[in-house]
């Protein structure tokens, strides 16, 4: 049986939530949390001999030092293979899983696998160098993630060739392989064209990335006469979150009045954005939404005026489709209110 090591963050490693995101890597014997499901799925070829758990912040902020500490604990378990995650759409967890997998494969020469949602930033960074199972955005899809990742790991340890991403369920790696087909390319191309004309969605043999071009806004002609508004995707809301803005994957944006406020008080406002330590923002919300600085610029005559309200939403895991709707709608509302420019802040 192969010795399999599992890497998890503090949440799935059952240490705690965001308050434990700074925990350095620790090693636990056997499977932990989702490792139980993996242990059952890979029992025909491997045992999870240990789990390495590390806080998301520790990995995100610790750089090579943190990664080296994780590798030391993996090495101590004498691994034959590594599982990381799944990370779903978690913005810090995904890059951490990708980094650990890439480093472990390069250092130990072992099969590795992780799982992420396609829009996870870790998928964009590591898809070309790490085998990443294509999974859903939330832990509601844990069972499917475990099965898919285990199947990919099984192929890796048995040195079986991988089929196309659409067949095997992994995120495309940008690798092209020659294959033999019964029909020549011209015939297949005509069939695809006929499918398009019939309103069908043909399965292309070479999927091209689709990027929506975004034209940069023209610079303001005269900042001294411009009316500027504040918009944030940092989840800033009145203390207590009266309108229940979600901490992730939100489907709405909100507007709140500033009523001439010179600055934002931590007693009155807070950030509900998940996935990062918002302690400093909650202590002084102007760090996220610079009301104080913009007021000063207006008084100094650098900026013409400031809109007495702000729009807010949560960028954590929010779908691209919803983000487009939010942006378009907020822009239309601001234009109607004679706003010429926007300060858009993030976490």
């Amino acid at each position: 049986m192969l010795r399999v090591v599992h890497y998890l963050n503090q949440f799935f490693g059952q240490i705690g939530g965001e308050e434990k995101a700074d925990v350095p890597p620790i090693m636990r014997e056997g499977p932990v949390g989702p490792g139980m499901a993996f242990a059952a799925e890979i029992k025909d070829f491997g045992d999870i001999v240990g789990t390495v758990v590390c806080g998301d912040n520790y990995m995100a902020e610790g750089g090579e030092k943190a990664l080296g500490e994780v590798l030391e604990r993996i090495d101590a378990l004498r691994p034959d293979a590594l599982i990381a995650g799944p990370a779903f759409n978690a913005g810090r967890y995904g890059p951490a899983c990708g980094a650990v997998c890439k480093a472990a494969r390069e250092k130990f020469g072992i099969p590795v696998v992780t799982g992420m949602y396609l829009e996870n930033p870790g998928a964009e960074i590591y898809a070309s160098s790490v085998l990443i199972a294509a999974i859903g955005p939330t832990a509601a899809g844990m069972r499917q993630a475990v099965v898919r990742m285990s199947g990919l790991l099984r192929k890796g340890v048995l040195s079986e060739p991988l089929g196309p991403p659409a067949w095997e369920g992994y995120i495309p790696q940008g690798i092209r392989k020659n294959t033999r087909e019964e029909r020549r390319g011209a015939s297949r191309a005509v069939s695809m064209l006929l499918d398009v004309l019939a309103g069908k969605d043909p399965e292309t043999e070479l999927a091209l990335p689709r990027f929506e071009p975004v034209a940069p806004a023209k610079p303001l002609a005269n900042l001294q006469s411009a009316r500027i508004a504040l918009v944030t995707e940092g989840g800033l809301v009145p203390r207590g979150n009266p309108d229940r803005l979600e901490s992730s994957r939100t489907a709405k944006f909100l507007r709140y009045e500033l009523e001439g406020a010179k600055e934002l008080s931590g007693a009155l406002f807070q950030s509900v954005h998940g996935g990062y330590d918002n302690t400093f923002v909650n202590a002084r919300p102007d760090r996220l939404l610079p009301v104080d600085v913009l007021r000063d610029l207006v008084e100094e005559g650098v900026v013409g005026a400031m809109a007495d309200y702000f729009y807010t939403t949560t960028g954590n895991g929010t779908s691209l489709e919803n983000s487009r709707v939010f942006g378009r709608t907020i822009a239309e509302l601001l234009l109607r209110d004679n706003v010429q420019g926007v300060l858009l802040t993030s976490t």
Side-chain angles (χ1 to χ4, degrees):
M1 299 293 284
L2 298 179
R3 297 175 61 84
V4 181
V5 176
H6 195 188
Y7 172 81
L8 294 171
N9 71 353
Q10 80 281 357
F11 178 78
F12 288 104
Q14 299 183 345
I15 293 177
E18 196 61 37
E19 77 283 358
K20 296 293 185 180
D22 294 311
V23 170
I26 62 174
M27 187 168 61
R28 291 187 169 177
E29 185 177 350
V32 174
M36 301 292 185
F38 278 109
E41 197 68 29
I42 67 172
K43 63 182 180 181
D44 58 314
F45 66 88
D47 293 318
I48 296 181
V49 294
T51 304
V52 177
V53 182
C54 185
D56 282 330
N57 283 349
Y58 194 89
M59 276 296 290
E61 299 169 6
E64 292 299 320
K65 177 179 180 294
L67 181 58
E69 292 173 4
V70 169
L71 291 179
E72 287 178 6
R73 285 152 181 79
I74 293 174
D75 191 18
L77 291 165
R78 297 180 289 112
D80 296 314
L82 174 74
I83 298 170
F88 303 104
N89 200 25
R92 291 166 301 168
Y93 194 19
C97 287
V100 171
C101 281
K102 183 174 185 292
R105 192 198 65 228
E106 293 173 351
K107 182 170 184 176
F108 308 124
I110 59 174
V112 299
V113 69
T114 184
M116 302 181 204
Y117 184 53
L118 183 61
E119 294 182 13
N120 190 306
E124 181 178 356
I125 298 170
Y126 292 103
S128 63
S129 55
V130 171
L131 186 58
I132 304 176
I135 59 176
T138 71
M142 180 64 79
R143 181 57 191 163
Q144 179 205 38
V146 169
V147 171
R148 183 163 290 181
M149 289 170 62
S150 299
L152 291 172
L153 183 65
R154 182 178 287 104
K155 286 212 164 192
V157 301
L158 297 177
S159 298
E160 295 181 359
L162 280 175
W167 298 358
E168 303 282 9
Y170 62 92
I171 294 175
Q173 298 180 296
I175 299 172
R176 302 182 187 180
K177 294 182 179 180
N178 292 327
T179 61
R180 288 194 173 275
E181 298 287 339
E182 293 182 0
R183 300 165 60 207
R184 65 179 58 189
S187 175
R188 301 198 307 275
V190 170
S191 296
M192 291 174 64
L193 176 60
L194 292 175
D195 284 341
V196 171
L197 295 175
K200 300 178 183 179
D201 188 14
E203 182 179 343
T204 177
E205 297 171 10
L206 182 59
L208 298 177
R210 298 180 181 180
F211 299 109
E212 179 181 352
V214 178
K218 295 181 180 179
L220 291 172
N222 187 354
L223 188 59
Q224 294 178 337
S225 64
R227 187 161 182 255
I228 306 298
L230 291 168
V231 180
T232 182
E233 59 85 59
L236 192 70
V237 296
R239 179 65 64 174
N241 194 13
D243 298 298
R244 314 315 301 167
L245 180 66
E246 296 88 349
S247 63
S248 65
R249 294 177 289 279
T250 186
K252 63 187 175 187
F253 66 87
L254 300 166
R255 168 176 161 156
Y256 291 109
E257 304 301 318
L258 291 171
E259 300 176 355
K262 295 290 186 180
E263 60 182 23
L264 298 180
S265 167
L268 299 178
F269 290 93
Q270 70 178 111
S271 170
V272 296
H273 191 294
Y276 85 109
D277 185 353
N278 50 28
T279 302
F280 296 104
V281 167
N282 291 339
R284 187 175 176 184
D286 288 294
R287 288 169 171 153
L288 176 63
L289 198 74
V291 171
D292 53 351
V293 174
L294 189 52
R295 291 290 192 199
D296 289 344
L297 291 175
V298 172
E299 290 182 4
E300 295 168 8
V302 178
V303 173
M306 170 181 156
D308 252 353
Y309 54 82
F310 69 94
Y311 286 99
T312 181
T313 188
T314 305
N316 182 27
T318 299
S319 70
L320 184 60
E321 292 75 16
N322 281 341
S323 298
R324 287 194 182 105
V325 173
F326 297 168
R328 188 179 303 114
T329 306
I330 292 173
E332 291 173 355
L333 293 169
L334 292 174
L335 287 171
R336 290 179 199 168
D337 196 36
N338 194 35
V339 168
Q340 287 82 47
V342 173
L343 283 176
L344 177 62
T345 66
S346 181
T347 53

